[in-house]
Amino acid sequence: MEVKLKDFIEPGKIVALVNFRGSFQKLKNNYKISYIVDDLFLQNISVYKYLEKRLGQFSKEKFEDACRMALLDSSILEQNVSKLSYTESKKLRFVEALLLNSETFFFVHFENGNLFKNRSYYQKLFLKLIKYGKCIILVTDDLSFLMGLVSSFYLFDDTGCRIVSDFYEDTIYKSVPMPFVISYVKYLEQQGLKIDHYLEPKEVLKAIYRSVTAGERL
Protein backbone atom coordinates (compact mmCIF):
# COMPACT_ATOMS: atom_id res chain seq x y z
CA MET A 1 0.00 0.00 0.00
CA GLU A 2 1.47 3.32 -1.09
CA VAL A 3 1.31 5.99 1.58
CA LYS A 4 1.87 9.69 0.92
CA LEU A 5 2.82 11.49 4.12
CA LYS A 6 1.51 14.79 2.80
CA ASP A 7 -1.99 13.31 2.97
CA PHE A 8 -1.74 13.21 6.77
CA ILE A 9 -0.53 16.77 7.33
CA GLU A 10 -3.15 18.91 9.07
CA PRO A 11 -1.92 22.28 10.40
CA GLY A 12 -2.91 22.88 14.00
CA LYS A 13 -3.57 19.21 14.71
CA ILE A 14 -1.93 16.11 16.19
CA VAL A 15 -2.16 13.18 13.80
CA ALA A 16 -1.32 9.65 14.98
CA LEU A 17 -0.20 6.77 12.76
CA VAL A 18 -0.38 3.46 14.65
CA ASN A 19 1.42 0.30 13.54
CA PHE A 20 2.90 2.28 10.65
CA ARG A 21 6.05 0.85 9.07
CA GLY A 22 8.30 2.92 6.89
CA SER A 23 11.81 4.27 6.50
CA PHE A 24 12.50 7.98 6.88
CA GLN A 25 16.30 8.09 7.13
CA LYS A 26 16.78 9.43 3.60
CA LEU A 27 14.23 12.20 3.98
CA LYS A 28 15.77 15.61 4.64
CA ASN A 29 14.52 18.15 7.14
CA ASN A 30 13.44 21.59 5.98
CA TYR A 31 11.21 24.46 7.05
CA LYS A 32 8.17 22.51 5.77
CA ILE A 33 8.73 19.25 7.66
CA SER A 34 11.28 17.71 10.03
CA TYR A 35 11.66 14.01 10.77
CA ILE A 36 12.53 13.12 14.36
CA VAL A 37 13.49 9.48 13.80
CA ASP A 38 14.59 6.99 16.46
CA ASP A 39 17.96 5.96 15.02
CA LEU A 40 21.45 6.56 16.30
CA PHE A 41 23.76 8.91 14.43
CA LEU A 42 26.51 7.33 12.35
CA GLN A 43 28.49 10.49 11.56
CA ASN A 44 31.81 11.04 13.29
CA ILE A 45 31.34 14.76 13.94
CA SER A 46 30.45 17.00 16.85
CA VAL A 47 26.92 18.15 17.58
CA TYR A 48 27.99 21.66 16.62
CA LYS A 49 29.37 20.53 13.25
CA TYR A 50 26.28 18.44 12.61
CA LEU A 51 23.93 21.39 13.21
CA GLU A 52 26.17 23.76 11.26
CA LYS A 53 26.09 21.34 8.33
CA ARG A 54 22.30 21.09 8.51
CA LEU A 55 21.43 24.68 9.38
CA GLY A 56 24.40 26.83 8.48
CA GLN A 57 25.33 29.39 11.12
CA PHE A 58 22.98 29.26 14.08
CA SER A 59 22.51 31.21 17.28
CA LYS A 60 23.87 29.55 20.40
CA GLU A 61 21.16 31.32 22.40
CA LYS A 62 18.44 29.86 20.20
CA PHE A 63 20.14 26.48 20.44
CA GLU A 64 20.01 26.63 24.24
CA ASP A 65 16.35 27.70 24.13
CA ALA A 66 15.54 24.77 21.83
CA CYS A 67 17.43 22.39 24.13
CA ARG A 68 15.39 23.54 27.11
CA MET A 69 12.21 22.96 25.14
CA ALA A 70 13.37 19.49 24.03
CA LEU A 71 14.73 18.55 27.49
CA LEU A 72 18.24 18.15 26.11
CA ASP A 73 21.35 19.26 28.00
CA SER A 74 22.88 22.06 25.89
CA SER A 75 26.37 21.04 27.06
CA ILE A 76 26.38 18.28 24.43
CA LEU A 77 27.30 20.85 21.76
CA GLU A 78 30.91 19.65 21.57
CA GLN A 79 30.10 15.95 21.95
CA ASN A 80 30.38 13.54 19.05
CA VAL A 81 26.93 12.71 17.66
CA SER A 82 27.90 9.03 17.36
CA LYS A 83 28.25 8.90 21.17
CA LEU A 84 24.73 10.09 21.89
CA SER A 85 22.16 7.70 23.33
CA TYR A 86 18.89 6.89 21.55
CA THR A 87 16.93 9.42 23.59
CA GLU A 88 19.63 12.10 23.17
CA SER A 89 19.69 11.45 19.42
CA LYS A 90 15.93 11.92 19.17
CA LYS A 91 16.04 15.07 21.28
CA LEU A 92 18.84 16.50 19.11
CA ARG A 93 16.72 15.91 16.01
CA PHE A 94 13.87 17.66 17.81
CA VAL A 95 16.20 20.60 18.55
CA GLU A 96 17.12 20.72 14.85
CA ALA A 97 13.41 20.81 13.95
CA LEU A 98 12.80 23.63 16.41
CA LEU A 99 15.70 25.64 15.03
CA LEU A 100 14.35 25.14 11.52
CA ASN A 101 10.94 26.22 12.83
CA SER A 102 9.37 23.54 10.65
CA GLU A 103 5.66 23.63 9.97
CA THR A 104 5.30 19.87 10.57
CA PHE A 105 7.10 17.74 13.15
CA PHE A 106 7.12 14.05 12.25
CA PHE A 107 7.98 12.01 15.36
CA VAL A 108 8.88 8.32 15.02
CA HIS A 109 8.46 6.41 18.31
CA PHE A 110 9.67 9.52 20.11
CA GLU A 111 8.09 8.48 23.42
CA ASN A 112 10.20 5.31 23.69
CA GLY A 113 12.92 5.58 26.31
CA ASN A 114 11.35 8.54 28.08
CA LEU A 115 10.21 8.31 31.68
CA PHE A 116 6.61 9.12 32.65
CA LYS A 117 7.46 12.68 33.74
CA ASN A 118 9.09 13.48 30.39
CA ARG A 119 6.34 11.77 28.41
CA SER A 120 3.78 13.93 30.20
CA TYR A 121 5.86 17.05 29.46
CA TYR A 122 6.06 16.26 25.74
CA GLN A 123 2.32 15.61 25.57
CA LYS A 124 1.68 19.10 26.97
CA LEU A 125 4.31 20.60 24.67
CA PHE A 126 2.76 19.06 21.55
CA LEU A 127 -0.62 20.48 22.53
CA LYS A 128 0.99 23.92 22.84
CA LEU A 129 2.77 23.65 19.49
CA ILE A 130 -0.43 22.97 17.55
CA LYS A 131 -1.89 26.19 18.99
CA TYR A 132 0.76 27.95 16.90
CA GLY A 133 -0.43 26.17 13.76
CA LYS A 134 2.16 23.41 13.82
CA CYS A 135 1.23 19.90 12.72
CA ILE A 136 2.45 17.07 14.93
CA ILE A 137 2.52 13.62 13.36
CA LEU A 138 3.19 10.78 15.77
CA VAL A 139 4.23 7.33 14.56
CA THR A 140 3.76 5.05 17.55
CA ASP A 141 2.64 1.63 18.74
CA ASP A 142 2.07 2.96 22.26
CA LEU A 143 -1.59 3.95 22.53
CA SER A 144 -1.14 5.06 26.14
CA PHE A 145 0.97 7.96 24.82
CA LEU A 146 -1.86 9.03 22.53
CA MET A 147 -4.53 9.14 25.23
CA GLY A 148 -5.36 12.76 25.95
CA LEU A 149 -3.69 13.86 22.70
CA VAL A 150 -6.05 12.49 20.05
CA SER A 151 -9.60 11.19 19.92
CA SER A 152 -8.91 9.07 16.85
CA PHE A 153 -5.93 7.69 14.94
CA TYR A 154 -4.94 5.97 11.72
CA LEU A 155 -4.42 2.23 12.17
CA PHE A 156 -2.34 0.31 9.63
CA ASP A 157 -2.97 -3.42 9.47
CA ASP A 158 -3.47 -6.25 6.98
CA THR A 159 -6.64 -4.63 5.69
CA GLY A 160 -4.91 -1.34 4.91
CA CYS A 161 -5.35 1.99 6.67
CA ARG A 162 -8.45 3.09 8.56
CA ILE A 163 -9.46 5.65 11.15
CA VAL A 164 -10.16 4.31 14.65
CA SER A 165 -12.04 6.42 17.19
CA ASP A 166 -12.55 3.81 19.93
CA PHE A 167 -9.46 2.88 21.93
CA TYR A 168 -11.41 -0.11 23.31
CA GLU A 169 -11.91 -1.75 19.92
CA ASP A 170 -10.59 -5.30 20.26
CA THR A 171 -9.24 -5.59 16.71
CA ILE A 172 -6.65 -2.85 17.40
CA TYR A 173 -4.77 -5.17 19.69
CA LYS A 174 -4.09 -7.73 17.03
CA SER A 175 -1.50 -5.21 15.82
CA VAL A 176 -0.22 -3.32 18.89
CA PRO A 177 0.03 -3.91 22.67
CA MET A 178 -3.01 -3.08 24.78
CA PRO A 179 -2.48 -0.25 27.31
CA PHE A 180 -2.75 -1.33 30.94
CA VAL A 181 -5.71 0.95 31.70
CA ILE A 182 -7.75 -0.62 28.89
CA SER A 183 -6.84 -4.19 29.79
CA TYR A 184 -7.77 -3.48 33.42
CA VAL A 185 -11.18 -2.02 32.51
CA LYS A 186 -11.85 -5.03 30.28
CA TYR A 187 -10.91 -7.30 33.20
CA LEU A 188 -13.32 -5.45 35.52
CA GLU A 189 -16.06 -5.85 32.94
CA GLN A 190 -15.40 -9.59 32.85
CA GLN A 191 -15.84 -9.59 36.61
CA GLY A 192 -19.28 -8.06 36.16
CA LEU A 193 -18.47 -4.45 37.07
CA LYS A 194 -20.25 -1.92 34.89
CA ILE A 195 -17.76 0.83 34.10
CA ASP A 196 -17.41 3.49 31.43
CA HIS A 197 -14.55 3.21 28.97
CA TYR A 198 -12.21 5.70 30.60
CA LEU A 199 -8.72 6.37 29.25
CA GLU A 200 -7.18 7.88 32.38
CA PRO A 201 -6.23 5.65 35.34
CA LYS A 202 -7.50 8.19 37.89
CA GLU A 203 -10.94 8.14 36.26
CA VAL A 204 -10.98 4.33 36.44
CA LEU A 205 -10.11 4.48 40.15
CA LYS A 206 -12.92 6.98 40.75
CA ALA A 207 -15.35 4.69 38.94
CA ILE A 208 -14.26 1.71 41.04
CA TYR A 209 -14.72 3.74 44.23
CA ARG A 210 -18.19 4.83 43.16
CA SER A 211 -19.14 1.24 42.35
CA VAL A 212 -17.83 -0.11 45.66
CA THR A 213 -19.57 2.57 47.70
CA ALA A 214 -22.77 1.83 45.77
CA GLY A 215 -22.57 -1.79 46.93
CA GLU A 216 -21.20 -3.50 43.82
CA ARG A 217 -18.61 -6.23 44.32
CA LEU A 218 -15.49 -6.75 42.24
Side-chain angles (χ1 to χ4, degrees), residues 30-46:
N30 53 61
Y31 75 95
K32 284 286 187 182
I33 185 169
S34 283
Y35 301 89
I36 299 92
V37 297
D38 61 341
D39 295 308
L40 292 171
F41 287 99
L42 300 178
Q43 298 99 317
N44 185 30
I45 56 175
S46 69

Side-chain angles (χ1 to χ4, degrees), residues 20 49 70 89 127 169 183 185 212 218:
F20 181 76
K49 289 294 184 182
S89 297
L127 290 171
E169 183 184 314
S183 64
V185 169
V212 172
L218 295 180

Side-chain angles (χ1 to χ4, degrees), residues 4-216:
K4 296 181 179 180
L5 295 181
K6 66 179 182 179
D7 294 339
F8 298 100
I9 296 176
E10 298 184 60
K13 290 188 177 181
I14 296 175
V15 180
L17 311 183
V18 174
N19 196 42
F20 181 76
R21 301 293 179 259
S23 178
F24 315 98
Q25 286 76 10
K26 294 182 180 180
L27 300 178
K28 293 185 178 181
N29 297 343
N30 53 61
Y31 75 95
K32 284 286 187 182
I33 185 169
S34 283
Y35 301 89
I36 299 92
V37 297
D38 61 341
D39 295 308
L40 292 171
F41 287 99
L42 300 178
Q43 298 99 317
N44 185 30
I45 56 175
S46 69
V47 170
Y48 179 84
K49 289 294 184 182
Y50 166 80
L51 290 175
E52 189 177 48
K53 183 179 178 180
R54 292 299 187 104
L55 307 172
Q57 292 295 321
F58 62 93
S59 163
K60 187 175 180 181
E61 182 180 358
K62 288 184 178 180
F63 167 75
E64 292 174 346
D65 289 341
C67 283
R68 279 192 289 272
M69 188 176 293
L71 300 182
L72 179 65
D73 191 335
S74 61
S75 65
I76 71 162
L77 197 58
E78 298 304 324
Q79 287 189 35
N80 193 301
V81 293
S82 65
K83 303 299 182 182
L84 300 180
S85 68
Y86 273 106
T87 52
E88 288 174 330
S89 297
K90 287 188 284 191
K91 290 177 182 179
L92 177 58
R93 290 188 172 98
F94 188 15
V95 166
E96 179 186 347
L98 290 169
L99 291 173
L100 281 168
N101 195 26
S102 297
E103 295 174 0
T104 298
F105 295 81
F106 192 94
F107 292 92
V108 182
H109 301 294
F110 184 74
E111 73 286 349
N112 290 350
N114 282 295
L115 299 176
F116 175 79
K117 183 179 179 180
N118 286 359
R119 285 163 61 103
S120 179
Y121 165 82
Y122 290 124
Q123 288 171 324
K124 294 174 183 176
L125 177 60
F126 295 162
L127 290 171
K128 287 183 179 179
L129 286 173
I130 62 173
K131 291 181 179 179
Y132 292 93
K134 303 296 184 182
C135 175
I136 304 294
I137 299 180
L138 301 174
V139 173
T140 182
D141 294 339
D142 185 350
L143 294 195
S144 63
F145 187 68
L146 297 182
M147 295 173 182
L149 288 178
V150 298
S151 58
S152 63
F153 55 86
Y154 291 93
L155 177 67
F156 294 80
D157 56 23
D158 295 337
T159 64
C161 172
R162 61 190 178 92
I163 296 177
V164 176
S165 56
D166 182 7
F167 282 79
Y168 279 80
E169 183 184 314
D170 288 330
T171 56
I172 301 170
Y173 304 108
K174 294 178 181 178
S175 304
V176 295
M178 183 181 294
F180 173 76
V181 65
I182 292 178
S183 64
Y184 188 57
V185 169
K186 287 180 177 290
Y187 165 77
L188 294 176
E189 289 178 328
Q190 291 172 357
Q191 303 306 307
L193 183 66
K194 295 180 180 179
I195 185 170
D196 290 336
H197 285 175
Y198 295 109
L199 298 179
E200 294 187 20
K202 63 180 180 181
E203 295 301 327
V204 174
L205 292 174
K206 289 179 182 178
I208 294 173
Y209 176 77
R210 288 194 298 269
S211 297
V212 172
T213 54
E216 294 185 40

